[in-house]
Every structure is written in structure tokens, then in C-alpha cells.
Amino acid sequence: MSVLGVSLSAFSSISPASIDPSSSLMITHPDVVDDPKRTFDVCTGKGNPGGTWTFAYLIKELAKGTSFTPEDYALIWLKNWLHTYNLNTFDVPARPNMELFINFWNQASLAGSGQDFDINYFPARLLAITNRPDLGGNGGYGGDEKRGEARFTFALLGNTDKLGGYDKEQGCEAMPFNVIFEYNTPTTDCPSVQEWQTQWKALDGYALGSPEYNEKLELITTAFTNFGSNPAQEPNQSLLSQLRTNENALDPLWELREFVLLNKADGVVSFDGSLLPDTVKNTPDVSFDNTSFLANFVNSAWSVPGSPDEGTVPLAYLGVPFRGAASPVSITHWDYPSSALDPSMRQKFSLNTCNACHTGETDTKFVHIEARLPGGESALSRFLTGKNVVTTLNDPANPYISAALFSVSDPAGSALVSDFNDLAARQAAMASILSTSCELVGTVSAGLLPPKAANFKMSH
């Protein structure tokens, strides 16, 4: 069979079930995240300070091209929590306990190298390396939209009793403070997207966590983390799309924040390359919850095909500042008057937001990738795995099954029940990319590209 003169037998179909999520999508195995050559843990002193999968390495690569040392670069970012800042007219209150973490880093550094604030001794433990082929929109294959992402997730380390006071023997452990480096992929068009995902798929051919596997994975990760991966972005030359945090280590109220790099080419007159606070995408300020204004937005803009605001949350709606400056988890789901008339639309909108995706809409306790002990593996949310319990992806007593679904009742009270297995959706997205003929892209049907539900552009 051929379409527009292109033989459909020229490319093979990849089954989603043939993709091993633990080796090519969500990599959490201890032999990877505790690799002694590429990772380091200040709590145990084990590993290689500054190895290519450490927090320190990623900061060093971001700092290149700027006038900052890696240490100053990290300190400037951390100090965002020490003062209240305003974005889009909304205040983000200071969290002064960050000073205790900064002190903890300095003490860990002095104990490790004898230097103040040595970036190689930054207290962070690697939790996961992830491939997100599902974040490529249809326009991303040859267009201007995303062509997927790749991510590093860390938990910051500290004394969870009082944060301050470094002691490897007592009080050094993972805190409820996740940091996610979210990178665009080093791709430009459909063939390069396929080649990129082919590299990830090839990891399935190696024993997870073996020296050969880790060497191949390092070749992939340095392609998107290293300085020079994106020469058009000045001065960092980085593919970093955003850096997100999710924590209640500094304050009892869980809060999600977002930071970005700017680009002088975007018309910025002066930009020093530091990480800058940004609004939280797809999430309004919490003051709009349960308002008629939110109902108007969802029903008249967000859900309307062809609307400029379809499936996204703009900075302002009807001239009113709308998108949030941070995402405090003071609410666990979004609601509005008349939502009962279309519970599925309310659920789609709410699930798309930062705070609800991490709580009520997915029946999750704030993080989808949990902190872990040294030598252990992070447990994953049921939203991610479809399992009926929160456990590790590689749990032999509860193996991952792509057909499994985790069901969540509507937190707003309707009879709607939603089923989740996000890793299965990522398997399907990767399979679709690898099975697509690039000759047909843009000329036959968007249906050949990874599916994306209408009004649904979740990036968590």
C-alpha cells in the first residue's frame, strides 16, 4: 500500500509494549542513579563529585558562558527564596528557611573539600533520568513547537529535623524538595526526532545499569545538558527549557515554582545568564479557583477549538492578570460554578495545572517521583505507573504492566472516574515516533504523529 507515492511498508511499526519504560523512559534503577563514576552523594561521601549526572555538573554547564562561577550561579538561584518577588502582579512570598539549606551546603562543602560553597558538594541526590517523547506537539516535528523533553530529577539533601547542621552520620537525608531540570531535545525535524528516540530505544538492548548501558546513556544525556548544545541561546548556549521545584521543606505548604533562561536574541537588552523566576505554565493564580471568571475562561477560551487560549493558560485573560507566579498547594483541584454540566472538561483543565496534577486529580501526595535512600530506588506515583500502590518501577513483587490503570474518582464530586498510566502514554508516543514515515509528516495526517488529546497539553 502507498500514500502519496510513499510505500507504507518502507517503515516498520513499533509496538508500545516492546519499549521498556525502565530503561528508555523513566530511569530510576540504583545502578544508574548511584553510578559511582557519574553521581555523588554528600550524605554518604560515595561517588564522583562533579560527575556528569550530578547537580553540580548541570550547574557548571549552565554557568559556562556567563560571568558567574558555578558556586555563585547556584547561590543566586537559591536566594530567590529569601525575598518576596512579584510576577504578573502576583506575589511569591519569601521562604526564609532557605538560609538554613544554604548553610547546610556550605558545611557539607567544608567537610568535603575544605572550601566554602564548593559546587561539587552541592547537597542533591539524583532520583531519575527521564525521556519525554510525549511532550512533542504535532507542530513539533518540523515546526516551532517542542520535540519532546529530557529531564533530571533530584532531591535536595539536608538535616530534615532543622535543615542546618551538616553531619554525615546524623541528620543528612533527602528532603521533600524536588528539583527538575527540563531540557528541550537536540532535534530540528522529523528525521532527527526519530534518530533521537532511536538512541533511547537502543538502551533497551543493554542490561539496565551495566557499564555498557551507563556509557550509552551518558552519550545521550551530555548531548542535551552540555554547554554548546544550543548555540542560539546566549550566553548559556543551553537547551534548558525550564527548571521546576516542588517542595515543603522550607514551609509546611507545598509549593511549585518555575525558573527559566532568557535569550538575548529574544530582544532582552541585558541578561546575565542566571536562572530567573517565571510564571507556572498552565496554572492560574489560586485566587481564581471557584470563580465565575474561571468558568468563563474554561468554557469560552480554554475549551474552544481554534481559540488562542485553547489548552493553555495565558498571562492575562480579558485584560486581567491570570497565570500564577507560583503554584501553592492550598487547593487540590480546580473547580468553578457550573462545572457539573461537563465534569470531564473541568477534570481536563484541572489535571493540566501544576497543583492539581500533583494532588487531587491524580490522588498523589505532591510528588510523582519520591525521594529515596542511598542505594535505593525512587517510588513512583500511581498516576505514572498505573499500579494500585505507590512503589518502584522495578519492584519484582509488583511489576509494571502497560495495560494496568489506576482509577481516581472525581475530587469535585461527580460520578466521573479517570484512569491513569502515564508511562503507557509515553510508550505509545515513542512507538508512534519510531513508526512514523517522515516523508508523510505534514502531507497526510497529523494522526500519524504522537496523539495529543484536545485541550490537553500537560507538561508535568
Side-chain angles (χ1 to χ4, degrees), residues 14-33:
I14 302 294
S15 166
S18 71
I19 295 167
D20 183 352
S22 67
S23 64
S24 58
L25 291 171
M26 176 66 70
I27 304 164
T28 55
H29 195 283
D31 289 342
V32 178
V33 295

Side-chain angles (χ1 to χ4, degrees), residues 115-187:
Q115 301 177 26
D116 286 324
F117 297 111
D118 186 341
I119 194 64
N120 289 324
Y121 290 84
F122 191 94
R125 179 176 295 153
L126 178 62
L127 305 182
I129 300 172
T130 53
N131 171 28
R132 296 297 305 272
D134 56 309
L135 296 185
N138 286 344
Y141 300 89
D144 294 329
E145 295 183 19
K146 281 185 178 295
R147 299 176 183 89
E149 283 187 355
R151 300 178 172 183
F152 277 78
T153 301
F154 295 88
L156 297 193
L157 306 174
N159 184 320
T160 54
D161 292 331
K162 58 181 180 179
L163 262 179
Y166 174 75
D167 187 334
K168 282 197 301 184
E169 303 303 321
Q170 296 180 352
C172 183
E173 54 190 312
M175 300 190 301
F177 197 134
N178 280 13
V179 180
I180 310 98
F181 290 76
E182 302 177 355
Y183 295 87
N184 291 318
T185 61
T187 58

Side-chain angles (χ1 to χ4, degrees), residues 211-286:
E212 296 80 10
Y213 177 94
N214 290 2
E215 287 173 8
K216 295 295 184 182
L217 179 59
E218 182 180 11
L219 291 175
I220 292 174
T221 62
T222 52
F224 63 82
T225 63
N226 280 11
F227 175 77
S229 59
N230 183 16
Q233 190 279 321
E234 296 180 351
N236 314 79
Q237 297 190 32
S238 174
L239 281 168
L240 186 74
S241 180
Q242 60 273 330
L243 182 148
R244 302 193 204 208
T245 62
N246 184 4
E247 60 84 20
N248 81 333
L250 308 180
D251 185 278
L253 178 65
W254 279 90
E255 181 186 65
L256 299 97
R257 298 192 185 192
E258 185 167 330
F259 301 83
V260 296
L261 300 173
L262 292 179
N263 186 343
K264 289 179 181 176
D266 293 336
V268 178
V269 176
S270 178
F271 171 53
D272 58 15
S274 58
L275 285 162
L276 301 177
D278 197 18
T279 54
V280 282
K281 308 306 177 288
N282 296 330
T283 308
D285 183 76
V286 292

Side-chain angles (χ1 to χ4, degrees), residues 244 281-284 298 302 311 313 332-336 343-364 368 381 383-384 408 410-411 416 418-422 453 455-460:
R244 302 193 204 208
K281 308 306 177 288
N282 296 330
T283 308
V298 174
W302 190 87
V313 173
T332 59
H333 67 277
W334 290 81
D335 206 350
Y336 48 85
S344 65
M345 188 57 67
R346 185 217 62 80
Q347 187 266 357
K348 284 182 180 180
F349 172 79
S350 184
L351 180 63
N352 224 18
T353 66
C354 295
N355 32 23
C357 174
H358 284 259
T359 53
E361 295 294 350
T362 61
D363 196 10
T364 297
H368 290 299
S381 70
F383 164 79
L384 284 176
V408 177
D410 186 356
L416 180 71
S418 301
D419 296 320
F420 298 111
N421 183 335
D422 207 56
N455 311 119
F456 195 65
K457 300 179 181 178
M458 192 177 72
S459 58
H460 299 90

Side-chain angles (χ1 to χ4, degrees), residues 62-77:
L62 285 174
K64 288 180 180 178
T66 75
S67 61
F68 303 114
T69 65
E71 289 76 12
D72 285 342
Y73 194 91
L75 278 169
I76 290 170
W77 169 65

